[in-house]
Amino acid sequence: MRRISLLAGAAALGLTGAVGGILASASTNAQSAPESLLPPGFDDPAPAPIPTPRPAQTAAPRPAAPGAPSVAPPSGGTEVVQPLPGAGSPAPVPTISGDELSQLPSLEELENLSPDELDEKLGLKPKFDIPPAARRSMREVGLLSPQEGGLPTGSLARQPASLVRAALAGTRGPMVSRWGHILLRRALASRLEAPEGMNPVEFAALRAATLNRIGEFAIARALVQDVDTGNWNKALTDEAITATIATFDVTGICPAVRLQGSSRKDPQWVMLQAICNAYAGEGALAGTQLDRALGNGIAPPIDILLAQRYAGAAGRGRRAVEIEWDDVDTLDPWRFALAGAVGEPVPAGLLATAMDGPQRDYFALAGVHAVMLPPGERVDWARLAAERGVLSSQAMIDLYSMVYADRSVGGEPAGRAAALRDAYVATNPGARIAAMQRLWGEDRDYSARVSTAYAAARIPASEDHAPHAGNLIASMLAAGLDRDAAAWRGMMADGSLGWALLAVGIPGAGDADFGALDTFADNDETRDMRATAFLVAGLAGLGRIDGDELEAFEGRLDIDLSRQTRWTRVISRAAEVDNAALVALLAGLGMQGSDWSRMTPLHLYHIVAALRAVGMDAEARMIAAEAVARA
């Protein structure tokens, strides 16, 4: 600030006498020449001694204006503009310890640092990479609002954090039910408030982890991206890495990598730093970092070579990188993603070994979304994805359409694509049903029922096609086409598969006929009469069976639907308080398993009953019908 401003401020506070004269003089001088911004003595060489003035007669100070700060008048008649700090005593000289000196980077290290790394070393790296006005609230995190089909945002806000944490962390694997998977995905993707006492970032990380574990990598990636990168903790960052690698979007993690810098030292993070530097325009630095990583052996050579190929695709820093698979005996997510992203074929034997191993589901559910891979290679993966609920009927039709259009594809994928086309466009219903039967096969491939759902809905309901109605209805209900399935009501023989599916699968079916149910049980050839047990449990959960009849069949099937466990008590209580989100999470917890042999009638009954109680009647009916069809 200029001296004239400071003096003017002093005059405004009521200083008089000598100060008033100096103010007038300073105003005159300011008009003739620029004035230094430094205090006196900082820019005048060898100032002359100032004689001590005689005490001057000063007027009494005026009273200060109300609310104004009190200012003491200058003593001794001398003007004090800005006293020097620490006047009268020497300022302490800052010192640097030997430990601090040893931590300073060398000149060679400084030359190899990127601008972001240099900012990090100097403590200049910001926590956020977006301005404050653009940052998003953490109160609600998710993709689906209630208006878009999501569950109510406050569903879990008043629930115990320990219960929600246990339900999410306890869901470790896939759902036996396709419709159970769809239900859980909807709940996890909903825009929700965190439970009371749980950090919103932890809540987002738990949901993303569950989505990753059930193979919903694209939804997990979108969920973590709904949280500002500056708010990510280690758990959320880990899930984001898993999701972006599984979706072949390696650079999708770069905002977090660039912002967090060298906070992590694990090999994957070091390679990601180099890749992100390359795509930030620092190709030379990225090359140096990956060369150093290869020399230091921080990871197997194949991992670093793939990272070099991926980083080299950025900008003009391309260089030839030869990928050698000879000494590679395992395929992991990193190799699978980077090889697919750069168009490097994975040896067939290596991929086959991976598909037979414990990570089969991962590679199938990640690879099915790899659009850079030929459609013919993704068909088998898509069948698992459709069966699990990851892919819809329409997505399967789109994939098979690409296979049919690709004349280079042969063998079974081409045959299935041609059969699916006939199922939809053959000239008469009989030919379309025959095509569907070829797809269903003797092994009752449930993914084929998903693919043919809309073709089955196009078959007119008539007595002529009634012998095939059970499989047609099962196919329609696999995609939720309950209204189309209801057209067959009244044409099904009592106790047939079609009758059983309609009894639990369509709205307003009413109580099941005891005689028809008894006939279904007599004809049940499934192990331990599982189809009948699931049908009885579904009917009980939907309230479509009389109490006496239920008791009779419980005795015949040796099941007890009234038995209580800790899980049944919790999900029943969640249904009593009408909490759909908590019911969905607990239903997912109770439907874990690789196939329907892992499901019990007790669990099915409580899941269907709880969903019906919270207004999810459609989901309850579809799960019950799927249980009967896949028993």
Side-chain angles (χ1 to χ4, degrees), residues 279-531:
Y279 282 86
E282 301 167 4
L285 174 62
T288 301
Q289 290 174 322
L290 289 173
D291 288 341
R292 186 185 305 120
L294 187 62
N296 294 338
I298 67 170
I302 184 65
D303 295 345
I304 302 174
L305 291 174
L306 287 169
Q308 287 179 330
R309 174 79 70 83
Y310 192 96
R316 301 179 180 178
R318 295 185 177 91
R319 62 177 182 177
V321 179
E322 185 175 356
I323 305 297
E324 294 287 348
W325 296 95
D326 294 341
D327 297 329
V328 180
D329 55 3
T330 58
L331 187 66
D332 60 20
W334 177 267
R335 296 165 190 173
F336 187 54
L338 265 69
V342 301
E344 175 67 27
V346 176
L350 192 62
L351 184 57
T353 301
M355 293 302 297
D356 290 336
Q359 287 190 299
R360 175 187 75 102
D361 289 1
Y362 173 88
F363 291 114
L365 299 179
V368 73
H369 294 293
V371 295
M372 70 287 296
L373 299 179
E377 294 184 12
R378 294 186 279 140
V379 166
D380 286 341
W381 303 338
R383 294 168 67 180
L384 176 65
E387 183 178 305
R388 290 283 175 82
V390 175
L391 287 187
S392 67
S393 178
Q394 186 61 56
M396 292 293 289
I397 295 171
D398 291 343
L399 180 59
Y400 274 115
S401 298
M402 290 187 285
V403 172
Y404 182 82
D406 188 350
R407 297 305 180 186
S408 65
V409 179
E412 184 183 358
R416 295 181 70 85
L420 185 61
R421 183 178 186 276
D422 290 341
Y424 280 91
V425 302
T427 56
N428 60 78
R432 297 200 295 271
I433 292 175
M436 283 186 263
Q437 287 177 320
R438 293 199 304 272
L439 287 169
W440 297 334
E442 295 181 358
D443 59 347
R444 303 175 67 86
D445 182 2
Y446 196 71
S447 71
R449 282 171 165 72
V450 176
S451 302
T452 59
Y454 290 90
R458 296 178 66 240
I459 301 298
S462 69
E463 297 290 347
D464 295 338
H465 308 306
H468 310 290
N471 288 325
L472 292 173
I473 293 171
S475 182
M476 285 184 268
L477 295 181
L481 305 179
D482 55 349
R483 293 184 181 179
D484 296 280
W488 292 87
R489 176 187 282 183
M491 301 180 190
M492 298 294 97
D494 288 346
S496 64
L497 174 62
W499 169 87
L501 294 176
L502 294 179
V504 292
I506 62 174
D511 287 352
D513 180 74
F514 182 84
L517 183 56
D518 191 57
T519 302
F520 182 84
D522 291 339
N523 297 329
D524 188 0
E525 298 179 354
T526 60
R527 183 178 180 181
D528 298 327
M529 300 180 67
R530 293 181 62 81

Side-chain angles (χ1 to χ4, degrees), residues 1-98:
M1 184 180 291
R2 295 172 57 184
R3 291 174 63 190
I4 179 64
S5 301
L6 292 170
L7 291 172
L13 293 175
L15 298 181
T16 57
V19 175
I22 295 173
L23 175 60
S25 174
S27 300
T28 303
N29 294 337
Q31 296 175 3
S32 59
E35 189 175 61
S36 172
L37 299 179
L38 298 174
F42 275 72
D43 57 350
D44 299 329
I50 301 176
T52 303
R54 291 181 299 173
Q57 186 71 24
T58 59
R62 299 178 185 177
S70 59
V71 179
S75 60
T78 59
E79 177 190 354
V80 179
V81 178
Q82 181 176 340
L84 299 180
S89 61
V93 179
T95 60
I96 301 178
S97 66

